[in-house]
Amino acid sequence: MAELNVRFFSNCLHRTVEFRMLLPNEERKDIPWEEEKHRPEDMKTILLLHGYTGDGDIWVNRDEATNLNIAVVAPSGENGFWLDAEATGRQYASYVGVELIDYIRRTFGIAKTPDKTGVMGLSMGGFGALHTALAYPEAFGSCAALSSALIHHEVAKMKEGEGNSVANYAYYRECFGEPSKLLESDNNPETLVKKIKADGRKMPRIFMACGTEDFLLEPNRRFHEFLVNEGIEHVYEESEGVHDMVFWSKYSSIFMPQMF
Amino acid sequence: MAELNVRFFSNCLHRTVEFRMLLPNEERKDIPWEEEKHRPEDMKTILLLHGYTGDGDIWVNRDEATNLNIAVVAPSGENGFWLDAEATGRQYASYVGVELIDYIRRTFGIAKTPDKTGVMGLSMGGFGALHTALAYPEAFGSCAALSSALIHHEVAKMKEGEGNSVANYAYYRECFGEPSKLLESDNNPETLVKKIKADGRKMPRIFMACGTEDFLLEPNRRFHEFLVNEGIEHVYEESEGVHDMVFWSKYSSIFMPQMF
Amino acid sequence: MAELNVRFFSNCLHRTVEFRMLLPNEERKDIPWEEEKHRPEDMKTILLLHGYTGDGDIWVNRDEATNLNIAVVAPSGENGFWLDAEATGRQYASYVGVELIDYIRRTFGIAKTPDKTGVMGLSMGGFGALHTALAYPEAFGSCAALSSALIHHEVAKMKEGEGNSVANYAYYRECFGEPSKLLESDNNPETLVKKIKADGRKMPRIFMACGTEDFLLEPNRRFHEFLVNEGIEHVYEESEGVHDMVFWSKYSSIFMPQMF
Amino acid sequence: MAELNVRFFSNCLHRTVEFRMLLPNEERKDIPWEEEKHRPEDMKTILLLHGYTGDGDIWVNRDEATNLNIAVVAPSGENGFWLDAEATGRQYASYVGVELIDYIRRTFGIAKTPDKTGVMGLSMGGFGALHTALAYPEAFGSCAALSSALIHHEVAKMKEGEGNSVANYAYYRECFGEPSKLLESDNNPETLVKKIKADGRKMPRIFMACGTEDFLLEPNRRFHEFLVNEGIEHVYEESEGVHDMVFWSKYSSIFMPQMF
């Protein structure tokens, strides 16, 4: 599995950015069974979205990604909730969903069709995985959302000067826009689901998981119920676990083979 | 000249960040005159601040930094104008002026006194160099500000919905705070100069340069006049040049030896 | 846990080299139990040596290293068996055992005493861990050698033109020197053990492990018996396992807490 | 200009290796004249070979490479003189001339034809540029050799135990093979020139330069005369200069536009 670090100018973020990448295109000849893994015609791509406080580190199991012939692209989202904010250069949704996908298509010839392109994330990145796939269903055929920070209903109720133990009101307003308008906006994944349905576009396949001891369990159940009520086919799993890498490793291993 | 890439958790930015670094601590034995350059007791440090659209790339001449025995620390500021914004995790001034300086002190044992610590920047980073040194004069003995984006008077006049060709109003409000309050705030370097004077603290040594064809010439002249009027000793140079690396290479070479 | 990439000129290798590093010196304030982990006065260092075909990747568990307050330094050894070869610029033993330790002492102020300095490796790096600690017992208080390629007796019997499925005769002669002289030379860890005993110097603490299905089991048993016969106290463990990361993860977790 | 760091397994070197890369495939939309530079159909590739003591750092002018639409690929050659040595895993000529070219073709879709593929180097890398282009003329349409270490006639005369101030005999024997057989071998660029002529294959275009104060001037004149005597069209330039980056910057700027 080749590993890359790529630094390029993002028009959406108005600056030079970096992302990390795994690319299963080695032709290793000293180990016979490694060589067999090289199948360029069958390569899939997962955009990997980190959580709050993280950066573009790659947290999936490399051997599993190699065996599944999956390239992994891990951008950095600087706590921006993977949304298009109002301020110039804070367009994270467009960055990962359009510009970055286009860049890796052009540069590496991968992620050309939605059936070979997925997005996976944890916590803030779980929210991002759902939002990105639902905002750009023509690009992403599937998404896997682990322990997702589906906090849009809580943010929508915030008032000037409020906030919580994680961040202040100014932070949430910058990421999600004016709270009172959030639920109607495209920053709400539910809005996007309804639009895709209304437009008759193809819904991305959705995989969700949350630990039963996770502090984000209720928002995950709430979104699961929303999908049930909307009649959207999806996978939703709960099992013992908290908001940590043990849970995320388990479910990235479970969902990766199912995404394609 | 050793080169480092360092990734650590920033409490100010609430996430994992990276910075690049040059450290003149090689003891090269195959080239006699290189070995002589290793003088740990005399090492200085320059914090290097990039401009708008940039990242923590190192644009000073490595041979010059080696010969002057200067370590260079280049953080990334994501177009944040090197200021403390209101939103959680957007405290760039505290990040570079306090947290990063503290981290490199603890990790490398350098930048322990202001006479061995300077800050240099270009464009947005020129603004940042002035602001950082003036906000933390106990840490920084000198600053070099090249083609500085001293645009605070322009930003202060912006109204909701306005902006300019570089960025929109939301961007400027997020970086500088409410425009109508900017000039009185600590985001205005002039305010900081007056405070240092009033408190009788030691003013950092100031080096400024701007090209006569630079679109930022007027704001630089304005700040120069402000310093003259306040009776602040400083170096101010103009010469033929535009807003480009030719000018910045020239003046980083001129100012680096004078900063210590 | 901070992560570093350091590029500097090595006099032993006669060229610019890079190493990776984990440094447990973050003062993370958003998670109370993380902040407690920052104990600079107690920091230990492990030099981590990779196996044949590897490079300076860090394969120990980062959370464990953080909790144990261990810095990890991972150089690249380009299949050189961590030995001083004859050719200029192929002095890997001196590089890691003297030059690199000296460099990290100077740069980071760690690894200053043998009780806080260990070396661990797998396969070729297991051989290297034993050899390095035994060659420089004043620097290293302990070594952990996993599935070690203790193939010196096999190499000693090689004749011109021979070799094996891993590499040819020229390769082994370059790494180990003239095979017929290997067993008497300092490239043989047994020679080093006898010298330390004869000189009455302090023997580093030795931890060895090998899987019972590993193709290197016999050479490991042989070295274990040698140590028994020499009356050298050491830990030797066998358990089910092959020559893979599952085994190395298990035993790096077992040995790291015992090394200091 | 995008910058990449790529880490992959090399079968020729029998280990994980890294190379750096510039890729002029940014579509920068904030600066009109930058966007025009993006011409994927016209992209050329230069393999960039470093000198003795160097690593895969990129020393060409990035703006010039961008304007010329040239991707730059900079491998690390660990003082191996860019030749295929006898020992397993020391096949640097095959690595850069075959495996690396094949890898960047597969990964990035560039360097597909010799008219769009060149190789440039300085000092040891100047020797390497000539040798690589002459060993693989079907892959490389041109080479630029700056201040080249064309020391094969000197090495050919070395006797066991000899060497010089740069390195010992063992080093030269490992890189170049048995000295007494060097001049007839494919490690001698002159042998390769004669073979290409004899076989009627297309000779790569050759650009050479050396400073008149360079200690390698005589070997460069000697190779130039050899080419003249063989009737090989080539560019050979001498001008005031020593063995340093000033000279190499000058001639990389002069030769890059002529190579394609």
Side-chain angles (χ1 to χ4, degrees), chain C residues 7 55 86 88 90 168, chain D residues 7 55 79 86 88 90 168:
Chain C
R7 184 170 171 254
D55 68 350
E86 185 189 358
T88 300
R90 303 275 290 168
N168 62 15
Chain D
R7 184 170 171 255
D55 67 350
N79 292 350
E86 184 189 359
T88 300
R90 304 273 290 166
N168 61 16

Side-chain angles (χ1 to χ4, degrees), chain D residues 171-198:
Chain D
Y171 166 80
Y172 288 106
R173 189 192 55 208
E174 291 185 11
C175 290
F176 289 88
E178 179 58 39
S180 65
K181 299 177 184 164
L182 166 53
L183 294 184
E184 285 71 50
S185 81
D186 285 355
N187 289 341
N188 178 358
E190 298 161 28
T191 306
L192 299 173
V193 166
K194 291 174 185 168
K195 283 190 176 180
I196 294 175
K197 273 180 68 176

Side-chain angles (χ1 to χ4, degrees), chain A residues 107-129:
Chain A
T107 305
F108 302 101
I110 57 176
K112 292 195 165 173
T113 55
D115 62 300
K116 298 210 168 175
T117 312
V119 54
M120 178 162 70
L122 62 84
S123 196
M124 178 184 88
F127 177 93

Side-chain angles (χ1 to χ4, degrees), chain C residues 12 19-20 28 34 61-62 64 73 78 82 92 101 146 158 161 165 167 171 188 202 213 215 229 232 234 242-243:
Chain C
C12 291
F19 62 90
R20 291 198 188 81
R28 188 160 179 161
E34 291 288 336
N61 186 297
R62 282 156 205 239
E64 290 172 6
V73 176
E78 291 108 24
W82 307 105
Y92 290 102
I101 288 294
L146 313 181
M158 283 184 180
S165 63
Y171 166 80
N188 178 358
K202 188 170 183 185
E213 276 65 53
F215 65 94
N229 290 339
I232 308 299
H234 66 288
V242 295
H243 202 72

Side-chain angles (χ1 to χ4, degrees), chain C residues 7 9 13-16 18 20 52-55 57 78-79 86-88 90 166-168 170-171 174, chain D residues 7 9 13-16 18 20 52-55 57 78-79 86-88 90 166-168 170-171 174:
Chain C
R7 184 170 171 254
F9 185 83
L13 302 189
H14 272 231
R15 53 189 168 85
T16 300
E18 286 191 37
R20 291 198 188 81
Y52 189 75
T53 76
D55 68 350
D57 205 20
E78 291 108 24
N79 292 351
E86 185 189 358
T88 300
R90 303 275 290 168
V166 172
N168 62 15
Y171 166 80
E174 290 186 12
Chain D
R7 184 170 171 255
F9 185 83
L13 302 189
H14 272 232
R15 54 189 167 85
T16 300
E18 286 189 39
R20 291 197 188 82
Y52 188 76
T53 76
D55 67 350
D57 206 19
E78 292 107 25
N79 292 350
E86 184 189 359
T88 300
R90 304 273 290 166
V166 172
N168 61 16
Y171 166 80
E174 291 185 11

Side-chain angles (χ1 to χ4, degrees), chain B residues 27-118:
Chain B
E27 291 182 334
R28 191 161 176 160
K29 290 178 180 161
D30 60 334
I31 306 180
W33 54 88
E34 291 288 336
E35 195 174 4
E36 288 164 21
K37 290 176 185 168
H38 179 57
R39 309 185 305 273
E41 70 292 340
D42 183 41
M43 198 183 294
K44 299 98 176 180
T45 302
I46 286 182
L47 188 63
L48 192 71
L49 304 184
H50 64 76
Y52 189 76
T53 75
D55 67 350
D57 206 19
I58 292 179
W59 47 272
V60 299
N61 186 296
R62 283 156 204 238
D63 288 340
E64 291 172 6
T66 302
N67 291 335
L68 293 166
N69 203 22
I70 295 175
V72 177
V73 176
S76 283
E78 291 106 26
N79 292 351
F81 250 87
W82 307 106
L83 291 172
D84 281 356
E86 185 189 358
T88 300
R90 303 274 290 167
Q91 281 64 59
Y92 291 101
S94 304
Y95 167 52
V96 298
V98 179
E99 186 176 27
L100 182 55
I101 288 293
D102 176 61
Y103 186 74
I104 62 164
R105 273 182 192 156
R106 285 195 285 118
T107 305
F108 302 101
I110 58 176
K112 291 194 166 174
T113 56
D115 63 299
K116 298 211 167 175
T117 312

